[in-house]
Amino acid sequence: MPVVLGDTERDADRFRFTLADDVVVVETAQKLDTYLDAHPDEDLVVVGPDVSMAVATEVSETYRLRRPFLGVVLLRRRMEVSTMSEAIRAGIREVVLADDVESLVGACKRSMAVSEQLRNVEAGDSGDQRGKIIVVFSSKGGCGKTTVSTNLAAALSIEGDGASVCLVDFDLETGDIAIALQLDPSKTISDALGMQGGLDERALASLVVPYKAHLDCLLAPTKPADAEFVSAALAGEILRVLSSMYDYVVVDAPPAFTDVILKTFDMADSYILLTTLDMPALKNLKVTLDTLDNLGFPRTKWNVVLNRGGSRVGLTAADVERTVGVPISVEVPSSVEVPARLNEGVTVVEANPRHAVAKAFFELAAKQRKSTGSSKVSAPAKPAKKSLFKRS
Ligand SMILES: Nc1ncnc2c1ncn2[C@@H]1O[C@H](COP(=O)(O)OP(=O)(O)OP(=O)(O)O)[C@@H](O)[C@H]1O
Ligand SMILES: [Mg+2]
């Protein structure tokens, strides 16, 4: 049952109608304090539109440390960029327009889901385990990194137990996951700048953009100039926190060994190394493998994936294996289905799961699940608690 801060009893009826009959409304931060002390199970505070930003951020910052599983959803009458960034810095999970009932219900649901995840971690449900980090890489542009990372992430989130997945766009200057999945880039990695050293689950939960059930995305900056401010240390912190929140963290990369990508390789459990059937891509794969060897990144984590296989261009899969001396793990066929779905903003695995391209991605996901294991527990669905949201 969420508690609402700062609205009059008259407005409270609106919240009761929208959220739940037993919503509690408190008018001041002190009363909220008293209420929360008496209700240690409370997981959600909705801050009303007339509460000042100063009070809203103070509430969030106070409870961020004291009660990390408590989520704060903020209602505002106007959506301003400064409000968003202030809110994100304070660890507020979502900001919603005061009259957007649907978004409020959605934000509250997502916040409750994050709280439950955090409580599980605290209770040791997922113990000391962490989710697996998978990096998708090729040092040549256009080999299909974004295609593979988006489809692999979707396949992991669909298959079997429906693991929770976060897709991270570390192609910081030219990342296009937001475009590929038609997501609103109002929250991106840029919002994490300045949080280095203090990133926690709450902050990251407020930065990810949900794509579909079980799959969230952390998007690349919309301003390419921000890329240079994302340090390897910040990238490492992002991956560490995300891997405590999700079963899988799938990273899309730029076509180069940047500091951020080297840090990602350092932390990753599995590397998907792409090539296509052309000499430049093959040469680059060979260079990539030599580089990984030289840097001591273990071969046990290597997974060579041939994208756009089957094209009749003179080279074959066997040529690839012979040249690089590593077996191909999965071959993804070339098909017009890939760009067609991309233009619709969906993955092939969702739109056409029986297609040969989708099957290849499901095979890749299954192999990843097997080789990396699904560490964090995808707990069986718990029986629904007392109904919180009437309009679901
Ligand atoms: N299996 C496939 N069949 C057909 N087209 C494909 C396939 N894989 C990728 N493509 C197409 O190739 C192009 C490049 O793919 P993608 O953007 O995934 O590559 P990338 O490695 O992420 O590129 P960049 O290095 O620019 O980030 C896209 O137009 C995509 O639709
Ligand atoms: Mg790309």
Side-chain angles (χ1 to χ4, degrees):
M1 166 179 63
V3 51
V4 178
L5 168 65
D7 273 85
T8 61
E9 264 303 311
R10 191 171 53 79
D11 284 344
D13 283 343
R14 193 164 60 90
F15 289 111
R16 289 192 183 113
F17 176 72
T18 311
L19 299 173
D21 292 332
D22 43 6
V23 162
V24 171
V25 178
V26 292
E27 284 172 7
T28 64
Q30 284 82 354
K31 285 185 184 164
L32 176 68
D33 225 24
T34 313
Y35 176 84
L36 289 175
D37 277 348
H39 296 83
D41 288 339
E42 182 58 74
D43 275 347
L44 178 59
V45 176
V46 176
V47 177
D50 298 319
V51 176
S52 74
M53 236 2 236
V55 171
T57 52
E58 197 185 327
V59 165
S60 179
E61 275 163 359
T62 304
Y63 286 102
R64 188 178 191 166
L65 293 175
R66 219 198 284 172
R67 219 155 128 170
F69 43 79
L70 183 81
V72 176
V73 170
L74 176 64
L75 290 172
R76 292 291 87 169
R77 300 213 184 274
R78 278 198 319 259
M79 205 61 91
E80 281 158 4
V81 178
S82 57
T83 309
M84 292 293 292
S85 44
E86 226 180 305
I88 285 168
R89 266 198 302 277
I92 288 171
R93 289 202 183 142
E94 300 209 25
V95 185
V96 178
L97 277 174
D99 51 6
D100 187 347
V101 170
E102 216 174 294
S103 296
L104 174 61
V105 173
C108 290
K109 277 186 177 175
R110 284 190 292 276
S111 178
M112 297 294 279
V114 171
S115 298
E116 189 164 332
Q117 223 173 355
L118 294 178
R119 280 183 181 279
N120 286 344
V121 170
E122 193 177 69
D125 277 17
S126 29
D128 52 356
Q129 293 170 327
R130 63 169 185 86
K132 300 299 180 193
I133 299 169
I134 302 170
V135 56
V136 179
F137 185 77
S138 68
S139 58
K140 177 177 176 289
C143 278
K145 295 177 292 299
T146 302
T147 303
V148 172
S149 57
T150 48
N151 278 278
L152 172 62
L156 284 166
S157 72
I158 293 168
E159 277 278 89
D161 50 12
S164 62
V165 183
C166 188
L167 176 60
V168 177
D169 198 344
F170 272 166
D171 185 357
L172 297 168
E173 279 185 52
T174 54
D176 42 19
I177 283 177
I179 290 173
L181 300 180
Q182 290 182 7
L183 296 171
D184 172 12
S186 56
K187 296 181 283 181
T188 72
I189 291 170
S190 295
D191 297 303
L193 295 172
M195 290 193 194
Q196 195 177 320
L199 267 182
D200 57 13
E201 280 102 340
R202 278 185 76 176
L204 273 163
S206 68
L207 293 185
V208 297
V209 178
Y211 169 62
K212 65 179 216 28
H214 304 295
L215 176 51
D216 294 335
C217 300
L218 183 60
L219 300 175
T222 48
K223 280 187 280 170
D226 280 353
E228 67 174 292
F229 300 112
V230 181
S231 64
L234 178 62
E237 204 175 333
I238 288 172
L239 293 177
R240 181 179 52 74
V241 178
L242 286 178
S243 68
S244 72
M245 299 165 67
Y246 294 89
D247 294 311
Y248 294 96
V249 179
V250 178
V251 178
D252 188 12
F257 280 110
T258 59
D259 287 352
V260 163
I261 289 307
L262 284 172
K263 182 71 187 169
T264 306
F265 270 100
D266 215 16
M267 296 178 69
D269 302 279
S270 175
Y271 321 142
I272 308 288
L273 306 164
L274 296 186
T275 187
T276 46
L277 286 175
D278 56 279
M279 286 312 284
L282 200 49
K283 186 214 82 184
N284 276 290
L285 174 63
K286 182 88 177 88
V287 171
T288 295
L289 298 181
D290 290 346
T291 307
L292 295 179
D293 251 346
N294 290 336
L295 293 172
F297 291 120
R299 287 180 173 228
T300 48
K301 296 183 180 180
W302 296 9
N303 302 274
V304 171
V305 168
L306 171 58
N307 187 30
R308 314 198 73 160
S311 324
R312 291 200 194 91
V313 288
L315 282 176
T316 63
D319 292 331
V320 174
E321 293 185 330
R322 221 178 6 257
T323 309
V324 298
V326 178
I328 289 169
S329 171
V330 172
E331 194 172 326
V332 181
S334 187
S335 166
V336 68
E337 187 72 8
V338 173
R341 295 307 177 186
L342 182 74
N343 290 340
E344 290 170 9
V346 289
T347 59
V348 182
V349 298
E350 293 165 274
N352 196 351
R354 294 184 177 196
H355 193 276
V357 168
K359 284 184 183 163
F361 287 122
F362 283 122
E363 184 191 346
L364 182 60
K367 286 192 169 171
Q368 287 304 298
R369 201 173 296 112
K370 214 165 147 199
S371 69
T372 60
S374 184
S375 58
K376 285 176 85 268
V377 181
S378 281
K382 294 190 179 148
K385 289 193 201 149
K386 185 168 173 279
S387 167
L388 261 176
F389 305 103
K390 294 193 228 173
R391 303 177 176 193
S392 51

